[in-house]
Amino acid sequence: AQKITQTQPGMFVQEKEAVTLDCTYDTSDPSYGLFWYKQPSSGEMIFLIYQGSYDQQNATEGRYSLNFQKARKSANLVISASQLGDSAMYFCAMKEPGRRALTFGSGTRLQVQP
Amino acid sequence: NAGVTQTPKFRVLKTGQSMTLLCAQDMNHEYMYWYRQDPGMGLRLIHYSVGEGTTAKGEVPDGYNVSRLKKQNFLLGLESAAPSQTSVYFCASSTPGTGVVRQPQHFGDGTRLSIL
């Protein structure tokens, strides 16, 4: 079974609009962390935002926020007021205590249109 | 503020050749990782290290070896390159931190490797 599922291979959004990128996860650990990374066409992986399983509030970092629904095991990334520079691949990832590394989803390619 | 630096950035090899990818981090992180990224599959862990002199296998270790002789460096070796190893390779590092799941991994810019 997939640990991290990103069901949207590609998304389009108009500049200045908000967009939601979906991520669902599967774990039996009560303690885990969820991360979103951005990968622009230049290739680097940029850390965007983190949500811990015990965090009471949804995480926010500037224009990025995380819609965390623990019971549904979803951690969707919301980008408000999209900019052309937001065009990139976006990866959701999970860290479980028993695993040393992150488990990544297959990514969503976001294209922001002027 | 270099962070995580990977060399080389691009390389083309012939089947059967060997090479070493170098990863260097200047953040004094204990943990280092090597991932590969293939189209439509996200990143998969090849090997990792939790400290100088220690390494362990990840999800897809076959055909690769690693060494962590110095805390700041993590080397990934291909002994006999195969076309199936054509991929983009990412190195990452992190600190254990106070919360085992909380610390983000910091990535290098990647190495694009083609095996002909």
Side-chain angles (χ1 to χ4, degrees), chain B residues 31-78:
Chain B
Y31 295 172
M32 295 187 75
Y33 315 82
W34 276 107
Y35 292 89
R36 60 179 288 173
Q37 182 180 26
D38 300 301
M41 299 189 72
L43 277 72
R44 294 182 294 167
L45 182 67
I46 304 171
H47 285 280
Y48 66 94
S49 167
V50 298
E52 183 178 323
T54 71
T55 63
K57 294 180 180 180
E59 187 183 355
V60 287
D62 293 343
Y64 305 95
N65 57 74
V66 288
S67 64
R68 183 104 181 264
L69 299 179
K70 294 182 179 180
K71 185 178 182 179
Q72 63 268 32
N73 294 339
F74 195 28
L75 278 62
L76 177 71
L78 284 71

Side-chain angles (χ1 to χ4, degrees), chain A residues 37 39 43-44 91 100 102, chain B residues 31 35 37 48 90 105 109:
Chain A
Y37 284 85
Q39 186 178 41
E44 68 269 32
F91 291 95
R100 290 294 184 188
L102 296 171
Chain B
Y31 295 172
Y35 292 89
Q37 182 180 26
Y48 66 94
F90 284 95
Q105 293 181 11
D109 290 346

Side-chain angles (χ1 to χ4, degrees), chain B residues 2-17:
Chain B
V4 179
T5 303
Q6 291 182 231
T7 53
K9 296 192 185 305
F10 304 94
R11 186 74 183 267
V12 178
L13 291 178
K14 294 182 180 178
T15 297
Q17 287 185 317

Side-chain angles (χ1 to χ4, degrees), chain A residues 37-57:
Chain A
Y37 284 85
K38 173 184 178 181
Q39 186 178 41
S41 57
S42 50
E44 68 269 32
M45 295 285 285
I46 303 167
F47 166 67
L48 294 178
I49 195 167
Y50 165 83
Q51 179 81 45
S53 61
Y54 292 122
D55 291 345
Q56 296 296 315
Q57 308 269 9

